[in-house]
Amino acid sequence: MPEFNRASLEVLRQPLEDRHITISRIKYSIDYPASFMFVASMNPCPCGYYGDATHRCVCTPGQIQRYMNKISGPLLDRIDIHCEIQAVPFAQLSQMQPGEPSSAIRERVIRARNIQEDRFKPYKGIHCNAMNAQGICHS
């Protein structure tokens, strides 16, 4: 995320919260639905090794602070799940067995969505767990 221009990232704040986006021009204004899943990643510092047990970070505290400040608090507040991932050594990655195929995962997702649709049939405008009584997705 910090590799993007801060202004470009800030534009995402309102659509993430309101689930719609308004585009205004001189003669008109139009509103579009914008319910989306925002998935992003970032390194802990510019060099990527802050807190790594196997590599030494070469960044100064000021560089790390500037890097972290590229993402605003209000934008971070709109991201529901934050998780820190440790690097996996190449030797361990190369020994791993192939995972489940995407087609099998897709089938599970379709079954789960069908269950949600059945659950919410009595409620007009709601079709999944992420929606509230007004048919608006939770952020």
Side-chain angles (χ1 to χ4, degrees):
M1 280 178 38
E3 302 303 323
F4 286 90
N5 176 299
R6 185 178 175 125
S8 299
L9 292 171
E10 288 302 307
V11 171
L12 293 171
R13 282 174 46 186
Q14 214 54 44
L16 278 167
E17 185 171 319
D18 297 339
R19 301 295 183 188
H20 68 87
I21 189 165
T22 303
I23 299 175
S24 298
R25 297 290 179 249
I26 294 172
K27 294 184 178 183
Y28 65 90
S29 181
I30 190 161
D31 200 55
Y32 289 106
S35 182
F36 60 96
M37 180 185 296
F38 180 63
V39 179
S41 66
M42 63 187 285
N43 286 325
C45 67
C47 78
Y49 292 122
Y50 181 75
D52 190 293
T54 60
H55 295 86
R56 187 176 148 273
C57 174
V58 296
C59 302
T60 66
Q63 288 174 315
I64 295 170
Q65 190 61 49
R66 276 191 302 281
Y67 182 78
M68 298 303 286
N69 284 343
K70 289 183 176 184
I71 312 300
S72 73
L75 179 59
L76 287 174
D77 288 345
R78 287 165 175 81
I79 299 173
D80 294 327
I81 300 173
H82 297 240
C83 53
E84 188 174 323
I85 307 297
Q86 297 297 319
V88 178
F90 177 76
Q92 185 179 349
L93 274 177
S94 63
Q95 294 174 0
M96 294 178 70
Q97 298 298 315
E100 187 176 17
S102 295
S103 58
I105 296 169
R106 181 179 186 276
E107 291 303 317
R108 276 203 326 274
V109 169
I110 289 171
R111 281 195 308 273
R113 294 299 293 227
N114 288 338
I115 290 168
Q116 290 179 50
E117 282 181 20
D118 288 343
R119 179 183 312 129
F120 293 112
K121 271 186 184 166
Y123 307 99
K124 183 177 172 124
I126 299 177
H127 60 271
C128 69
N129 291 340
M131 299 178 88
N132 66 18
Q134 289 79 37
I136 300 170
C137 287
H138 298 292
S139 54

